[in-house]
Amino acid sequence: MPTVDVGGLELHYREAGSGTPVLLVHGFTGNSRNWALTVPVLRSRYRVISPDLPGHGLSGRPTDPAAYSLEAMAEAVSALMDRLGLEGCHLVGHSMGGMIAQVIALSRPQRLRSLVLVDTSAEPPEGLRTRERARLVELAREQGMEAVWEAQLAMNPMADQLRAQPEFLQTWREQFLMTSREAYIYCAQAMAQRRPLLDDLSRLELPVLIICGENDEPFVGPSQRMHERIAGSELALIPRCGHTPQIERPDEFNAILLRFLQRVDGVAAK
């Protein structure tokens, strides 16, 4: 993976294909590999870039809490856009990546061709303010990410089904453990304390697509509220799908995304 230095931080990214750029921004405790089932579909038509956010994947691991604010991470992604010359870019953000994408769209709308928000929110996610989440953050601080992984799995209502898919579970574990302790602690705090952006998003004039898994209860309501607030936006709810439609239902997700991108670009869908 190539690397770009953004303000002293090494930001790793993956790149494939050529044409109009599509920038894919992963979520909390994820990395660029979260888009492994999406990139092959886009690369024949687009230049696809997927970075590892600070403290995630193979990117640098700052210890300063300020490096993990949504604004600081948006600046890092914007710096990557500048270094790679990504003008007229389609910006796609999943979960925390969607929150970062909102900051970029509001601060630099002239750089974007469209905005796609996947299982995300314009408000502080309620799930980050629970006792369970506070316990996990404290566990990360005291015992590290392996302990957090085990605790999260034990709390997951689908743990038995996940254990029945050992290859999937192992891949998920590997990606989770590529997240630094600092990123886990301070990104969670940044999302919980973020400023609501619903009113600000109503000013957007570029094409916006909102995608959400129908079973992703914490984000269905926020997705509908963003759709209602952003004039002309499109909302797609994917049936039988949770928080990661690009992984859980890749065929449906990719079809929805590709149709939208081609419509924005004035290209007839095949």
Side-chain angles (χ1 to χ4, degrees):
M1 286 173 61
T3 303
V4 164
D5 185 296
V6 291
L9 170 72
E10 280 196 354
L11 205 65
H12 283 254
Y13 66 96
R14 299 173 187 266
E15 182 169 357
S18 61
T20 301
V22 179
L23 182 59
L24 306 172
V25 185
H26 68 79
F28 183 49
T29 71
N31 57 59
S32 56
R33 291 170 61 191
N34 291 164
W35 304 104
L37 301 178
T38 301
V39 171
V41 175
L42 298 181
R43 65 182 299 170
S44 63
R45 301 171 176 87
Y46 294 96
R47 179 188 179 193
V48 187
I49 298 94
S50 49
D52 289 337
L53 291 169
H56 294 72
L58 298 175
S59 285
R61 299 181 166 219
T63 57
D64 182 0
Y68 297 106
S69 72
L70 297 180
E71 292 74 18
M73 289 189 288
E75 280 299 315
V77 174
S78 295
L80 174 69
M81 294 170 64
D82 291 340
R83 291 289 297 275
L84 298 182
L86 304 185
E87 296 288 346
C89 176
H90 295 290
L91 180 58
V92 183
H94 171 246
S95 195
M96 182 179 75
M99 301 175 197
I100 293 167
Q102 293 167 41
V103 175
I104 296 172
L106 290 168
S107 61
R108 310 181 75 171
Q110 71 282 358
R111 297 291 302 275
L112 303 183
R113 186 178 298 257
S114 74
L115 175 65
V116 181
L117 302 173
V118 184
D119 289 74
T120 190
S121 172
E123 309 147 279
E126 293 181 5
L128 291 176
R129 297 187 174 187
T130 63
R131 286 185 181 178
E132 290 81 3
R133 178 61 65 177
R135 185 174 71 84
L136 291 172
V137 167
E138 197 57 33
L139 195 61
R141 197 185 305 274
E142 294 177 354
Q143 299 183 35
M145 294 300 289
E146 184 78 48
V148 176
W149 165 259
E150 295 297 337
Q152 284 197 166
L153 184 59
M155 292 165 51
N156 194 315
M158 297 181 64
D160 290 340
Q161 294 95 313
L162 290 169
R163 290 192 178 94
Q165 304 175 65
E167 291 185 7
F168 173 80
L169 191 62
Q170 179 61 23
T171 299
W172 184 15
R173 177 180 178 277
E174 289 173 359
Q175 294 193 39
F176 183 89
L177 294 179
M178 292 176 75
T179 306
S180 73
R181 180 195 315 231
E182 290 80 11
Y184 186 86
I185 294 169
Y186 300 125
C187 285
Q189 291 178 357
M191 288 186 287
Q193 298 168 5
R194 64 174 299 199
R195 182 174 69 86
L197 294 179
L198 265 181
D199 290 339
D200 294 6
L201 291 177
S202 67
R203 303 198 308 267
L204 289 178
E205 297 181 352
L206 72 165
V208 176
L209 169 65
I210 300 162
I211 303 175
C212 190
E214 198 173 58
N215 297 336
D216 190 9
E217 186 175 340
F219 290 94
V220 170
S223 294
Q224 292 171 332
R225 287 192 288 276
M226 288 189 294
H227 172 53
E228 292 166 0
R229 197 63 61 93
I230 304 171
S233 65
E234 302 176 32
L235 173 63
L237 297 178
I238 299 181
R240 303 180 304 282
C241 184
H243 187 60
T244 53
Q246 73 274 36
I247 298 172
E248 299 170 52
R249 312 291 293 184
D251 292 343
E252 292 95 324
F253 175 82
N254 292 336
I256 292 167
L257 176 61
L258 188 57
R259 279 197 300 269
F260 173 77
L261 298 181
Q262 291 186 302
R263 189 160 58 249
V264 172
D265 290 337
V267 177
K270 296 182 180 180

